[in-house]
Amino acid sequence: MQAASPSPYGEDEDQEKSAEPSNFNDGKGIKVSLCFTPLLLPLTNGKKCRKNAKATPENRVFFLHEDQTLQNLVDRAIDSINKTDKLTYCVGNRSGLFAGDNFTLKYTINCSDSKDIQITNLMDFANLINEIKQLNPPAAGFKLFMNDASADLKLNSMDSLHQEHGEDDDEDSDEDDQENPTKKKNSGPTPEELSQNENIARLTRMYACKDWSCKFTTCYPMPPDVTHIHLTHLHLNTWAAAIGAKENGVDLEHPPNTKLFDPTFNDPNDIALLSHHRLLTVNQNQPAPPSIIINNDFKDLAAAMQGHHNPLDHPPPGVNPPPSQPTHQPIRAALVPKMTLAAFCDYYELHLIIEGKLNELNITGPHALHFVSNQQLADEVRLSVGELADVRDAQERWLLGGWQSSQ
């Protein structure tokens, strides 16, 4: 119930409007932005209420004269949300204490440090009005938060009920997953993955290659002859996983004893090794390619252009000219136009794996293969016998102009 009594500050609490116009908002008064949080609606049968659930707040705006009272503020707020039959309060005649039977009041003044100040008596309301007057903004206003206390009590009782029955938020998360099947949980890396990543980082820093003649950035100097083994992602992952598994004799200075880290490993069933030996045999049995000699003699041409004549061309009278010798025109070889590596592999139907291996060593086309030996293609490019045979066959067809026959 509401208790109407004379204000201790000499104001008439039943007065709705002051005789003088307001000094704020063009005479309208202080702007009040009301935010009322109502009670949660009752749930239908078979449905559960989520933990920390909140009802949708109701927002209203009205103006209040600076000479009006706390009772006027509360009445205007209750009338704006049509809760006059549900929300009740009382104000003490002597103490001036304000007590809402089923709601609470808080305010926040715009453009100030006064935030979430609870109104518990008439003095709190007087401080609110005095602070707005001291700030004297042209558009004075404050936010009034009115929360239904029944809603807070119900939420607290639901929390205690969850704790009593041992329920947690797992059901809520399961419901969220069912409602949003595309929603995925962000799971971080496992401790084993973190440890393996740390070992990979240590190995990368530890074996950064400082040999300027080496074309790789990360190498392991394999004893005893310090042979460089290029540490690829497969090497680093294998080494780090062996360290994490605590394999015998494996640490940051000793790699696992596998074929991957042994350049001298000879496996009779190794296809790459057999291909390498087969390639050497094929190269030894192949005849030497024909040599083409190109003679470029521009001496006589330069003399003719400069007007110099040989005295034997016009001998004096009575002198027989020397017998003429057959003129041999030099053979001039035409340069084969260059092709890109991608066009070369595509035209001669070379496998993408071959193209990737050649591209890794920055071979730009078939014209560059002329300067690369079979030994280098087998050792550094890691071409098998069949792959090397396909590359050399395509190169020979390119030299003979086979690419022009289709044009």
Side-chain angles (χ1 to χ4, degrees):
M1 59 180 296
Q2 301 178 0
S5 62
S7 173
Y9 304 100
E11 298 175 348
D12 188 3
E13 296 179 354
D14 295 333
Q15 183 180 4
E16 292 294 334
K17 295 184 179 179
S18 177
E20 298 180 358
S22 175
N23 297 325
F24 305 103
N25 295 308
D26 299 330
K28 296 180 182 179
I30 301 174
K31 182 179 179 180
V32 181
S33 300
L34 174 64
C35 179
F36 173 71
T37 304
L39 182 66
L40 284 172
L41 296 177
L43 299 177
T44 58
N45 295 333
K47 289 189 176 182
K48 298 181 180 180
C49 181
R50 296 183 179 180
K51 189 177 181 180
N52 298 329
K54 293 183 180 180
T56 303
E58 300 180 16
N59 298 316
R60 300 289 187 274
V61 177
F62 59 90
F63 293 89
L64 181 73
H65 196 280
E66 59 269 22
D67 293 336
Q68 291 183 345
T69 63
L70 174 60
Q71 290 88 327
N72 300 137
L73 172 64
V74 178
D75 291 342
R76 292 285 301 277
I78 295 176
D79 291 340
S80 64
I81 57 177
N82 298 324
K83 300 291 184 181
T84 54
D85 57 339
K86 296 181 180 180
L87 301 180
T88 58
Y89 69 94
C90 61
V91 179
N93 293 331
R94 296 183 180 180
S95 62
L97 296 177
F98 171 81
D101 295 338
N102 49 8
F103 67 92
T104 59
L105 282 182
K106 292 182 181 180
Y107 68 87
T108 296
I109 301 177
N110 301 337
C111 304
S112 70
D113 296 333
S114 299
K115 300 182 183 297
D116 296 333
I117 307 299
Q118 190 170 4
I119 300 177
T120 58
N121 51 50
L122 296 178
M123 185 63 69
D124 295 335
F125 177 75
N127 294 334
L128 166 64
I129 301 301
N130 291 335
E131 185 173 355
I132 293 177
K133 290 180 179 180
Q134 291 177 1
L135 294 174
N136 195 20
F142 65 93
K143 296 180 181 179
L144 182 66
F145 299 97
M146 179 181 292
N147 296 329
D148 193 337
S150 301
D152 297 337
L153 293 175
K154 184 174 181 180
L155 288 177
N156 294 335
S157 62
M158 290 179 61
D159 294 343
S160 60
L161 184 62
H162 281 298
Q163 297 176 0
E164 180 180 355
H165 292 280
E167 299 178 359
D168 51 14
D169 296 338
D170 293 340
E171 296 181 359
D172 297 339
S173 61
D174 295 339
E175 293 178 1
D176 293 340
D177 295 339
Q178 294 176 1
E179 295 176 0
N180 301 324
T182 58
K183 182 178 179 182
K184 297 181 180 180
K185 297 182 179 179
N186 296 327
S187 58
T190 60
E192 292 79 7
E193 294 175 345
L194 292 175
S195 177
Q196 183 170 345
N197 292 337
E198 292 178 359
N199 291 329
I200 292 176
R202 293 173 184 171
L203 292 172
T204 304
R205 292 192 302 266
M206 191 171 179
Y207 294 104
C209 188
K210 299 180 181 178
D211 187 359
W212 295 103
S213 61
C214 183
K215 58 186 177 182
F216 301 112
T217 58
T218 308
C219 298
Y220 171 69
M222 175 64 73
D225 54 353
V226 196
T227 303
H228 281 220
I229 296 180
H230 175 43
L231 296 180
T232 62
H233 294 291
L234 178 60
H235 289 80
L236 294 174
N237 288 329
T238 304
W239 197 341
I243 294 176
K246 298 181 180 180
E247 293 186 6
N248 188 18
V250 180
D251 53 19
L252 294 175
E253 297 181 356
H254 300 86
N257 186 17
T258 61
K259 173 188 173 182
L260 196 62
F261 293 90
D262 188 2
T264 61
F265 180 77
N266 293 326
D267 187 2
N269 297 322
D270 189 357
I271 299 178
L273 182 61
L274 296 176
S275 301
H276 179 67
H277 290 303
R278 178 61 180 170
L279 177 62
L280 295 178
T281 304
V282 171
N283 292 336
Q284 292 176 0
N285 296 332
Q286 285 182 352
S291 59
I292 300 175
I293 301 176
I294 302 175
N295 296 323
N296 295 326
D297 190 0
F298 300 99
K299 181 178 180 181
D300 296 338
L301 178 61
M305 296 177 62
Q306 294 176 1
H308 297 165
H309 300 282
N310 192 341
L312 297 179
D313 295 341
H314 303 282
V319 178
N320 296 326
S324 60
Q325 297 179 356
T327 304
H328 299 281
Q329 296 182 355
I331 300 175
R332 304 180 63 183
L335 294 177
V336 182
K338 292 183 178 180
M339 292 181 66
T340 62
L341 180 62
F344 175 71
C345 295
D346 181 66
Y347 184 81
Y348 292 104
E349 299 181 355
L350 295 179
H351 200 276
L352 292 176
I353 297 178
I354 299 177
E355 181 181 352
K357 292 181 179 180
L358 295 176
N359 189 33
E360 186 177 357
L361 264 68
N362 299 326
I363 295 178
T364 58
H367 55 278
L369 291 173
H370 177 70
F371 303 97
V372 182
S373 64
N374 294 336
Q375 186 71 22
Q376 292 175 329
L377 292 177
D379 294 342
E380 299 186 13
V381 186
R382 300 292 183 182
L383 292 180
S384 63
V385 174
E387 294 173 343
L388 181 58
D390 290 340
V391 171
R392 291 305 187 191
D393 176 70
Q395 179 188 2
E396 184 175 356
R397 294 176 184 272
W398 171 78
L399 288 174
L400 297 177
W403 58 276
Q404 295 179 347
S405 61
S406 61
Q407 296 181 355

